[in-house]
Amino acid sequence: KTAPQSALVRTRRARGRTEAAENRPKGPGRPRNEERHAAILRATRELILEVGYRGVTLDAVAKRSGASRTTLYQWWGDRAPLVEEAIFSDYGEWPVPDTGCLQDDLAELLEEIVNEMSRPLVARAYPALAAEFQADPDIKAGLRARYGDPMTRRWREVFEHAVVRGELPADANAEAALQLTIGAVLTMTQSNILPRKKLKPYLLSVLSHGLTA
């Protein structure tokens, strides 16, 4: 079962969302009008759900949001950074689990991955977005720094604690386990192999047995 989030966790996630928004690079041009900015992100999200990543164009977003294509270009430069912000702008920093038990820590780490990566917006846009980022090392590095690196640090810290407690071998690879989990969540979400409520228990069982075998 999943315990309700504590006030501390909610506060830390809210702070993470604020920091992520402040640290996200803005395109060149005039300062953003917040209402127009919100309208553009809302239009982008609607289009992602309706037509998928490939159907999202700057022209389509401009038409739906009432903003000019020039404004979109000045603020984001291209489709990929716009879609990135639209699907991840509410992504917050999760605390590092430290329950004293590897399985319970993994359950909390999986809660983050399943909650975030199985959201319809992410499931529809992230695979194509990630493929596009592969062709641009600079954008890929920015995406990793904003989202991938903090997530990897949390997994590494949990694994380090588990090694100290004798629950994992010293060569246990946290990043490999994380990437395996992300791939499994995206694949199973898109193919409907498992309903979301069964996804976390299944992955927890697979990870727990695989890491301690």
Side-chain angles (χ1 to χ4, degrees), residues 36-46 76 82 85-86 89:
R36 182 171 297 175
H37 182 207
I40 292 169
L41 293 182
R42 183 168 56 251
T44 304
R45 294 181 185 117
E46 291 172 355
W76 286 280
L82 169 59
E85 183 170 349
S89 60

Side-chain angles (χ1 to χ4, degrees), residues 8-197:
L8 176 60
V9 171
R10 291 194 297 270
T11 300
R12 292 178 70 177
R13 290 199 68 203
R15 186 183 302 123
R17 286 193 292 269
T18 300
E19 292 172 351
E22 290 174 349
N23 293 332
R24 186 174 293 109
K26 296 177 175 61
R30 297 177 301 172
R32 294 180 178 179
N33 175 286
E34 291 305 316
E35 289 185 3
R36 182 171 297 175
H37 182 207
I40 292 169
L41 293 182
R42 183 168 56 251
T44 304
R45 294 181 185 117
E46 291 172 355
L47 286 166
I48 290 170
L49 294 176
E50 291 173 13
V51 298
Y53 179 78
R54 299 299 180 190
V56 177
T57 65
L58 294 186
D59 286 335
V61 173
K63 181 177 180 180
R64 176 161 305 202
S65 66
S68 69
R69 191 182 190 284
T70 300
T71 295
L72 270 65
Y73 184 76
Q74 288 176 336
W75 288 356
W76 286 280
D78 203 354
R79 170 180 63 179
L82 169 59
V83 170
E84 177 205 328
E85 183 170 349
I87 66 175
F88 286 128
S89 60
D90 61 348
Y91 190 95
E93 178 79 9
W94 288 62
V96 177
D98 191 12
T99 65
C101 170
L102 174 61
Q103 182 145 340
D104 291 342
D105 287 349
L106 286 174
E108 292 192 24
L109 289 173
L110 286 170
E111 184 75 13
E112 173 186 7
I113 301 296
V114 172
N115 282 357
E116 299 294 346
M117 303 306 291
S118 65
R119 289 186 295 131
L121 278 171
V122 177
R124 293 216 66 184
Y126 182 75
L129 181 65
E132 193 162 316
F133 282 155
Q134 293 296 328
D136 191 321
D138 291 336
I139 297 180
K140 179 183 177 182
L143 181 68
R144 183 178 180 88
R146 287 188 291 279
Y147 308 108
D149 288 346
M151 194 181 295
T152 300
R153 283 194 294 270
R154 292 194 288 281
W155 280 65
R156 283 178 177 162
E157 190 167 337
V158 165
F159 275 49
E160 289 167 1
H161 292 168
V163 169
V164 171
R165 293 192 300 263
E167 294 177 286
L168 285 178
D171 61 351
N173 192 318
E175 187 165 6
L178 168 60
Q179 294 303 322
L180 179 67
T181 301
I182 291 174
V185 171
L186 287 171
T187 299
M188 292 186 181
T189 299
Q190 292 173 349
S191 61
N192 295 315
I193 295 175
L194 283 176
R196 180 171 172 170
K197 65 180 181 180

